[in-house]
Structures are given as C-alpha cells and as structure tokens.
C-alpha cells in the first residue's frame, strides 16, 4: 500500500517536465534568476522533489505565499462540498437503485433508467446554470454564490447550508446517475443467486430477504465504485466551484492556470492525487470491514 | 400394468436454428432496444446538421449584426444574437461540427492508444504488463479534468490541442479492458495454433486476438465519445478549450458565467446546453444498446 502511494505521488514529474519549458519564455530574466528558473529542468525538478520530501511544495509565483498553505486554506471548502455531494448522492441513489431492481422493467425502472442516463449526460455546468437561474435569480430563495454571505462575521449554520444546497446538488447529480445503475445491476445479480433462493425457501419475508440478504452483498461493489468516483468528483468540483463562486481548490486551480502560477498548479495536482489515493485506501478499508471474506 | 399405447408420435419440430453470425445477432438485439434505435436516429440527424451546417445556417456565424446586439429571438434571428451581435442559431449549427468532431477524433485516438497498450500488456505479461499497468494506475489517480486543464494551459488552448489532449489522457479505461480480455484470450487454443504456425507476435495480437476483444472496446469507445464531448464542453465553458470566434457548444455557454447574461438572456445559454445534453444522451443510449446487443449479461 505504501509503495502504491509513493508510485502515485511521484508523477508530479511528467507535469513538471511539461510545465517548465514554457515558463521561462515570457518572464523577465531577473525574475527567472530569482525563482531559479534559469537552471535546467532536471535541476529544478530535483530540487522540487527534495523540498517535497521536506513537506515544502514551493512558493506561488504570483504572491510568494507557500503553496501548501494556499491549498490547505482552500481544502476545507472543497472537502465540505465533496462530502455533502457524496452523502447526497448515496441517500438518493441507493433507494432508487433498489426500487428499480426490485421492479425490473416496470415504469419506475424505465423512468429511473432514463433519469440515470440524464444524470451523467447533462454537463454539470449546465445543471448548475439552470439551478442558479431558477432558484437564485428567479425565485430568489437560495444564494447564488460563495460559501457564506459576504460581510457576515459569524455566519449561522443555516447560512452555510443555504449556500451549500445548489453546488452540492450540481456535483451530486452525475454521481447519482452512475450509482443508481450500479446498485440496480448489483442487486439484480444478487437476487438471482442461490442463497437468496434459499432464504426465500426458508420462508423468510420478502423484506428480510431483500434488505438483509441481497442488499448487503449488492452494496459491496458500490463501495469500490465510491472510491473510483473520487477523481471524477474532483473534476466536477473544478467546474461546480467556478459556477457557484465556491472558494475551494477548483477555483484555485483555474486561478493558478490563468495566472500561469506553476508551483501552485503542481501542488494542487499532487495534493489531488494524494487525496484520490487516500480515498481509494479508505474505500478498500471499508470494503474489508463490510466483507469479512477479504483480509488485508 | 399395461403400458399406455402410443397412438402417434408428435413430429418433433426442429427448433429453428439461428445460423446467423455473432454480429448479425448483435444487430438484431440492438434493433430491439428502442431507446438506442431512436438515439441512433437523433445522432444521425446531428451528424447531418454538422455536415450541412453551412447550408442550413441562416447567416454567417462570425459576422455580427450591428443593428442587434444581445437581441432576443425574433423573426430575423430565430434564436436571437449574442453579446456582439452574432446569430445564435448559426453559431449553434456550426458548433455541432466542432463538438461532434472532438468526440469522434478524441475517442478514436484514445481507443487506438488504449488498445495498443492493453494488447501489449496483456499479450506479453510479466514486467511489460507491470510497467504498463503501473503507468495506467498513475494516470487514473489524477482527476482527469485537472490533468487536462494543466496540459491544455501549457500547450495553449485550441481546437486541435483540446482534441489531442483529451485523446492522449483518456486511454486508461480502454487499456484495462483490452488487457483483461487479452489475458484470458492468451490461454486459448487458437492462439497456441497461431503461434505454432509461425505467426509473428504482431499478427497474433492484432489479426487473431483483437477481433475477439472488439466488443467491449466498441462500447468503451462509444461512451468515451460522449465523455469527450462533455470534457470539451467543460473546458470551453471555463475558457480553456476551443477559442472564439470558433463556436463550440461549450464556449457558447461561457458568456453565461456572467449573472446578467444568465438572468436576462436565456437564449444565449439554454440552446447550446440542450444541444450538449441531446448529443451526449443519444451517444450514451447508443452505447448502452451496443453493450446489450454484444453481451446481454454485461451490466453497467
């Protein structure tokens, strides 16, 4: 597991290689010397790597703040958004997936199938814009952007939540579509298995068979999918944060890219990769907790 | 006990043997999937629109009308005009060319790369396999959009760069699929036979094994085209994809980042959004149909 982490943490490398040649073109020579950019790529990369081991991700080209501090300041907002999106998507998707599987080929199933395809076919920014248009601009019930109301010193929980609703729905929607399909597929597989027939033959009620026997096993692959969804959510967060002016890592990414702030860009990609790997690790651990057949 | 007398023997009707090939059967199963067939028609229509955009468009998508800036839909401009007076309908039609070709080119690119890498990894196994799959895992552990954003910002945003970058980064899924089917195909007798008859490695991989692994690749390619269109739209929406004056559905939505446009000029951002949804939905349904047709047991 640790070696996996290291392997995955390393490839700031190709990104660095790509980034550096372009950098020196536009900037002043003195600035280049100050930032150490007149040195060859591999020297800079090596130094970056050494610093990385010491926990230093370098300093922003734009405001000379340490990159790590900049990212850590943005991380909680993104985490808040992603976690609420994940919770929301499972709360919505699992029941729909179950109903859809139990009544396979019914009207409910068809509607949920089409809905699921819509969920992952509609671009998140379009959903975001529609939600903004309807709820923030026309009905005026929810705030349009930001994490809290600007200027409020100690915002209430209600203020936080009302800002969170629209971005969280936007980010969750694609995930809901995919999860519904997986839950449905996994449950359909389980229902046809022998042990479910045995449970029915014992005379257990349909409810017990379904929720205690079938669903428990059907949700196992869903845990794996949850792990795989984390990078997708990160990508979604970049766009969602842009639409809703959410002060998270996604917005920082866009800022850094438009400002050509390469140390920050590299730091973000690295941190994102580490978080993705950590997320997969957590998913693996949950999997072994949920399924006693798997031992670490 | 007397045996019951057999009066007459029912003539055994032979079950009609379906002597059709794998692909013919797949086509029949596909045609039963109504949603997929409808989607295929929609997709065909979109392709026709893209091809004949210059004939269908009422006016040039690049020339602005000085009498109508940000004009609402009217008889003259059916979908209104944008902030600098260009006809939205014409831009919408021309944009379908860009968006669909990004989907086609990018997904072909990553299907080819993924197939090559997956085939080599699955066929040779051993350290080649380990090396290729580690590299694949590495790419997979980055949020794709962030990686694409970074690379695009370095090579510069343009239509061809966007196509290339999406294609060059999207292959890991296909590589994994091809590798896993090659791992099981490798053990089969026909591969042994091909080896014994002296076929070269390349011939075995691409002439003998690949056709047997084509089904899942086709499905992955179809879904990949849909996600490539979404990615291009996302990039262009952020202003880091296809650059104006070239119209793409994504960059037409870019204007809607301003609250005024969003609130007061829905004709600017609703039509391109709807087009993206229709195109992506149609491609995804077609992909679903192909998947059901090729392997009814496969689940999403």
């Amino acid at each position: 597991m640790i070696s996996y982490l290291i392997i995955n943490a390393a490839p700031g490398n190709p990104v660095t290689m790509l980034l550096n040649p372009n950098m020196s073109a536009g900037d002043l020579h003195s600035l280049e010397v100050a930032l150490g950019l007149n040195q060859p790529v591999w020297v800079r990369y090596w130094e970056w790597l050494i610093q990385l081991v010491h926990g230093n991700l370098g300093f922003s080209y734009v405001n000379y703040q340490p990159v790590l501090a900049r990212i850590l300041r943005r991380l909680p907002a993104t985490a808040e958004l992603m976690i609420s999106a994940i919770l929301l998507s499972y709360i919505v998707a699992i029941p729909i997936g179950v109903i859809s599987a139990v009544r396979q080929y019914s009207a409910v199933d068809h509607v949920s199938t089409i809905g699921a395809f819509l969920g992952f076919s509609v671009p998140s920014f379009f959903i975001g814009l529609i939600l903004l248009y309807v709820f923030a601009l026309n009905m005026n019930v929810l705030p349009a952007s930001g994490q809290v109301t600007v200027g409020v010193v100690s915002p209430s929980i209600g203020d936080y939540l009302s800002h969170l609703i629209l971005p969280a729905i936007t980010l969750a929607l694609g995930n809901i579509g995919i999860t519904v399909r997986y839950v449905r597929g996994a449950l359909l597989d389980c229902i046809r298995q022998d042990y479910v027939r045995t449970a029915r033959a014992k005379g257990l009620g349909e409810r017990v068979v379904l929720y205690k026997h079938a669903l428990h096993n059907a949700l196992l692959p869903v845990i794996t999918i949850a792990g795989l969804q984390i990078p997708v959510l990160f990508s979604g967060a970049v766009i969602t944060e842009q639409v809703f002016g959410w002060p998270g890592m996604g917005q920082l990414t866009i800022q850094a890219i438009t400002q050509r702030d390469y140390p920050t860009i590299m730091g973000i990609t690295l941190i994102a990769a580490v978080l993705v790997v950590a997320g997969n690790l957590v998913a693996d651990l949950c999997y072994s907790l949920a399924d006693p057949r798997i031992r670490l | 006990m007397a045996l019951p007398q057999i009066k007459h023997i029912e003539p055994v009707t032979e079950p009609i043997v379906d002597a059709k090939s794998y692909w013919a059967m797949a086509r029949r199963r596909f045609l039963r999937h109504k949603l997929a067939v409808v989607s295929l028609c929609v997709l065909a229509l979109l392709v026709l629109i893209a091809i004949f955009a210059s004939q269908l468009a009422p006016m040039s998508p690049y020339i602005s009308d000085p009498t109508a800036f940000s004009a609402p839909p009217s008889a003259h401009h059916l979908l209104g005009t944008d902030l600098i007076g260009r006809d939205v309908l014409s831009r919408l039609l021309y944009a379908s060319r860009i968006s669909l070709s990004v989907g086609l080119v990018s997904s072909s690119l990553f299907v080819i790369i993924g197939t090559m890498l997956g085939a080599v990894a699955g066929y040779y196994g051993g350290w080649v396999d380990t090396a290729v799959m580690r590299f694949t895992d590495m790419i997979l552990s980055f949020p794709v959009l962030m990686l694409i954003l970074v690379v695009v910002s370095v090579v510069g945003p343009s239509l061809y760069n966007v196509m290339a970058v999406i294609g060059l980064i999207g292959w890991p899924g296909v590589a994994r699929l091809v590798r896993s089917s090659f791992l099981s195909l490798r053990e089969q007798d026909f591969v042994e036979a091909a080896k014994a008859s002296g076929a070269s490695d390349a011939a075995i991989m691409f002439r003998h094994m690949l056709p047997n692994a084509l089904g899942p690749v086709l499905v992955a390619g179809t879904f990949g085209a849909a996600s490539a269109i979404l990615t291009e739209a996302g990039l262009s929406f952020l202003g880091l994809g296809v650059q104006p004056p070239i119209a793409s559905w994504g960059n037409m939505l870019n204007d809607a980042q301003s609250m005024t446009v969003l609130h007061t000029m829905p004709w600017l951002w609703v039509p391109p959004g709807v087009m993206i949804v229709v195109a992506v939905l149609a491609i995804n349904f077609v992909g679903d149909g192909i998947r059901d047709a090729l392997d009814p047991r496969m689940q999403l």
Side-chain angles (χ1 to χ4, degrees), chain A residues 220-242:
Chain A
L220 288 177
V222 177
I223 298 176
T224 320
I225 303 309
L228 292 175
Q229 282 300 305
I230 295 170
V232 181
L233 275 175
F234 249 111
S235 301
V238 174
I239 287 176
T240 310
E241 288 179 8
Q242 192 68 12

Side-chain angles (χ1 to χ4, degrees), chain B:
Chain B
M1 195 163 113
L3 285 167
Q5 267 212 298
I6 298 167
K7 299 222 174 76
H8 76 284
I9 299 166
E10 284 277 338
V12 181
T13 40
E14 278 285 321
I16 303 153
V17 178
D18 208 337
K20 284 180 182 138
S21 74
Y22 173 70
W23 293 103
M25 273 160 58
R27 190 168 60 231
R28 243 186 38 192
R29 278 199 297 264
F30 181 83
L31 290 175
R32 273 211 302 265
H33 196 309
K34 286 192 205 78
L35 220 47
V37 175
V38 173
S39 299
L40 195 63
C41 298
V42 172
L43 201 58
L45 190 69
L46 284 175
V47 170
L48 286 178
I49 289 177
I51 294 173
F52 296 108
S54 50
Q55 278 80 31
L56 290 169
M59 52 199 77
S60 159
Y62 305 117
I63 297 170
S64 60
D65 178 351
T67 61
F69 292 114
S70 324
S74 63
H76 188 49
H77 298 285
L78 285 177
L79 286 175
T81 60
D82 67 4
L83 296 174
I84 53 173
R86 294 174 299 198
D87 186 59
V88 172
L89 179 61
S90 307
R91 288 185 72 70
L92 200 66
L93 296 177
Y94 272 86
S96 59
R97 278 186 180 174
I98 301 299
S99 299
L100 292 182
S101 51
V102 169
L104 188 67
V105 173
S106 304
S107 62
S108 320
L109 197 60
F110 70 62
V111 164
I112 292 171
I113 300 175
T115 307
M116 301 277 254
L117 286 175
V120 169
Y123 182 74
Y124 290 107
W127 67 267
V128 181
D129 184 33
T130 315
V132 173
M133 288 338 275
R134 278 293 141 270
F135 187 54
T136 311
D137 287 343
M138 232 167 66
I139 302 247
L140 276 177
S141 71
F142 284 106
V144 181
L145 189 70
M146 276 195 185
L147 204 55
I148 292 178
L149 275 174
V150 169
V151 179
V152 164
S153 75
V154 171
V155 295
S158 79
L159 176 57
Y160 296 107
N161 286 348
V162 167
M163 282 179 177
V165 171
I166 297 177
L168 289 176
I169 291 179
W171 53 266
V174 179
R176 282 188 157 184
L177 267 178
V178 174
R179 170 186 174 262
S180 66
S181 49
F182 264 55
L183 280 178
S184 59
L185 284 174
R186 192 172 60 163
E187 309 301 327
Q188 292 196 5
D189 289 342
F190 73 89
V191 176
E192 193 85 2
K195 259 185 205 153
S197 65
S200 69
D201 282 354
I204 295 175
M205 272 192 274
F206 296 109
R207 193 166 315 143
H208 298 287
M209 291 166 80
L210 190 58
N212 290 290
L214 222 50
V217 173
L218 190 63
V219 176
T222 314
F223 284 122
S227 76
I229 290 177
L230 275 182
T231 309
E232 181 274 326
L235 283 176
S236 303
F237 170 73
L238 293 171
L240 290 161
V242 177
Q243 298 294 306
I246 300 176
S248 95
W249 292 329
N251 71 21
M252 291 176 75
L253 276 151
N254 182 272
D255 287 335
Q257 281 193 28
S258 123
M259 289 289 166
T260 349
V261 172
L262 186 63
H263 197 181
T264 58
M265 296 169 226
W267 64 89
L268 277 186
W269 59 272
V270 174
V274 171
M275 290 304 276
I276 298 173
V277 175
V278 169
V280 173
L281 201 57
I283 296 176
N284 276 337
F285 276 134
V286 170
D288 192 47
I290 297 177
R291 181 177 46 204
D292 283 354
L294 293 182
D295 182 2
R297 285 162 306 155
M298 246 159 78
Q299 305 274 352
L300 184 103

Side-chain angles (χ1 to χ4, degrees), chain A residues 266-291:
Chain A
M266 253 150 47
I268 293 173
T269 8
L270 187 74
I271 298 276
V274 170
L275 289 177
V276 167
V277 174
N280 282 332
L281 187 66
V282 172
D284 280 352
L285 289 175
C286 288
Y287 200 99
S288 67
L289 279 181
D291 186 353

Side-chain angles (χ1 to χ4, degrees), chain A residues 107-268:
Chain A
V108 184
D109 185 29
H110 287 302
V111 170
S112 94
T113 301
I114 293 176
F117 271 89
L118 258 177
F120 56 79
S121 297
V122 179
S124 54
F125 52 88
F126 190 50
I127 290 281
L129 292 176
I130 292 175
L131 291 177
L132 265 184
Y133 183 70
V134 174
F135 292 103
L137 298 177
N138 283 347
M139 289 167 65
N140 247 326
V141 284
L142 290 167
S145 80
Q147 198 180 8
V148 290
T149 309
V150 181
V152 176
V153 184
S154 53
S156 64
I157 294 186
D159 193 39
Y160 268 113
L161 284 180
S162 66
H163 279 83
L164 185 61
I165 293 175
L166 293 183
I169 293 177
T170 306
L171 191 54
L173 227 60
N175 207 12
I176 291 177
I178 293 171
T179 315
V180 166
R181 296 301 291 165
Y182 271 110
V183 172
R184 177 179 180 272
L187 191 57
L188 281 177
D189 274 354
C190 280
I191 286 178
R192 296 194 195 109
Q193 303 238 321
D194 286 344
Y195 74 91
V196 172
R197 193 177 309 143
T198 312
R200 285 215 175 100
K202 283 195 299 188
L204 294 178
E206 190 58 31
R207 232 160 230 283
V208 180
V209 173
L210 199 62
Y211 293 108
K212 263 195 131 165
H213 291 74
L215 191 59
H216 184 90
N217 280 290
L219 289 184
L220 288 177
V222 177
I223 298 176
T224 320
I225 303 309
L228 292 175
Q229 282 300 305
I230 295 170
V232 181
L233 275 175
F234 249 111
S235 301
V238 174
I239 287 176
T240 310
E241 288 179 8
Q242 192 68 12
V243 173
F244 290 97
W246 189 262
M249 276 173 73
Q251 224 188 24
L252 187 66
T253 312
I254 305 288
Q255 259 175 36
I257 285 173
T258 44
Q259 292 167 342
R260 314 225 136 205
D261 186 357
Y262 292 117
T264 309
I265 299 176
M266 253 150 47
I268 293 173

